[in-house]
Amino acid sequence: MNKSFIIKIIIFCLVAIKVSAIEKIVLFGDSLMAGYGLNNEHHLSVVLQEKLILEGYKIEVVNGSVSGSTSSGGVNRVEWTLSEPNIDLVILGLGANDMLRGILPKETKNNLEKIIKTAQGKNIKVILAGMIAPTSYGIEYKNNFDQIYPDLSKQYNLPLIPFLLEGVALKPELNLSDGIHPNEKGTIIISKTLQKIILKNISSN
């Protein structure tokens, strides 16, 4: 095969891969991002990585989410999770289990703040994925909880997904039989939400 032709192929392949300052992303959340009840190929991290690759980005997406995790649990494991080399971005999606347990929003906010500071201390960018509380614990609790994410986003100048489950929550056809966790179709919608904000915040080298 002609040497110049081979070189042209190599150049074409290099151009096809979009160069980005973001090469490794960690999803740091609970069962809503961990792929609860789904086969591995349908986990959010896998689906999101495949979609980013199809867009031409050579980006690895790591599943750093743990089912059942509270914000307090996130604080306990963040140092270990983010000790993996070459992490550029973390998507922080904790708080749902705090809300279900009625943990004081002030405590949840303090824990999320500790996680944010740990990530930023390692020079890792953070995207905040918010949650919305029902009125189970009263309207005051709901208002205080819902405000956690926009407040932290503003305080630390973080990109914000107002509601991680936007377009998925309360839709039976997009959730498992428990009505809480996204199924394969729901996961695809969430991955599109994450992909959109990731690409919006990617800076080229």
Side-chain angles (χ1 to χ4, degrees):
M1 188 178 287
N2 190 295
K3 185 183 289 186
S4 63
F5 181 71
I6 295 174
I7 292 173
K8 285 180 182 178
I9 291 175
I10 293 172
I11 292 172
F12 175 80
C13 291
L14 290 173
V15 171
I17 298 173
K18 299 178 183 177
V19 179
S20 165
I22 304 296
E23 295 181 350
K24 183 184 285 188
I25 298 171
V26 171
L27 303 185
F28 194 78
D30 48 39
S31 57
L32 297 175
M33 292 207 299
Y36 175 88
L38 300 175
N39 292 330
N40 185 70
E41 65 266 27
H42 300 300
H43 286 186
L44 180 59
S45 57
V46 176
V47 174
L48 178 59
Q49 178 172 305
E50 288 177 351
K51 288 186 173 295
L52 288 169
I53 289 173
L54 284 174
E55 287 286 333
Y57 292 94
K58 189 179 179 182
I59 297 177
E60 178 185 0
V61 182
V62 178
N63 187 356
S65 300
V66 176
S67 294
S69 179
T70 60
S71 61
S72 176
V75 171
N76 293 335
R77 63 189 173 87
V78 65
E79 189 69 43
W80 177 81
T81 302
L82 299 187
S83 64
E84 187 171 328
N86 304 319
I87 297 172
D88 304 296
L89 171 68
V90 60
I91 300 181
L92 176 54
L94 287 169
N97 288 309
D98 295 49
M99 170 190 69
L100 292 174
R101 299 180 186 191
I103 293 172
L104 291 176
K106 183 178 180 180
E107 183 178 335
T108 300
K109 184 178 181 182
N110 287 340
N111 289 331
L112 292 176
E113 194 168 5
K114 289 176 183 177
I115 296 170
I116 291 167
K117 286 181 177 179
T118 299
Q120 292 184 334
K122 296 177 180 292
N123 203 29
I124 298 172
K125 296 180 181 180
V126 179
I127 291 177
L128 194 58
M131 290 300 302
I132 296 175
T135 55
S136 308
Y137 292 101
I139 192 66
E140 183 180 357
Y141 181 94
K142 173 179 171 55
N143 290 339
N144 290 335
F145 181 89
D146 292 356
Q147 198 59 38
I148 291 172
Y149 302 93
D151 282 353
L152 287 174
S153 171
K154 184 177 181 181
Q155 183 178 349
Y156 290 93
N157 193 29
L158 306 177
L160 173 67
I161 301 169
F163 184 36
L164 177 65
L165 301 179
E166 184 67 43
V168 177
L170 303 178
K171 295 186 176 182
E173 69 275 16
L174 299 178
N175 290 278
L176 299 178
S177 58
D178 60 14
I180 297 174
H181 297 94
N183 60 20
E184 297 169 20
K185 292 180 180 178
T187 298
I188 291 172
I189 292 175
I190 295 172
S191 73
K192 288 179 180 178
T193 298
L194 297 186
Q195 180 184 354
K196 184 178 180 180
I197 197 167
I198 288 168
L199 296 185
K200 185 178 180 181
N201 287 278
I202 275 179
S203 56
S204 299
N205 287 326

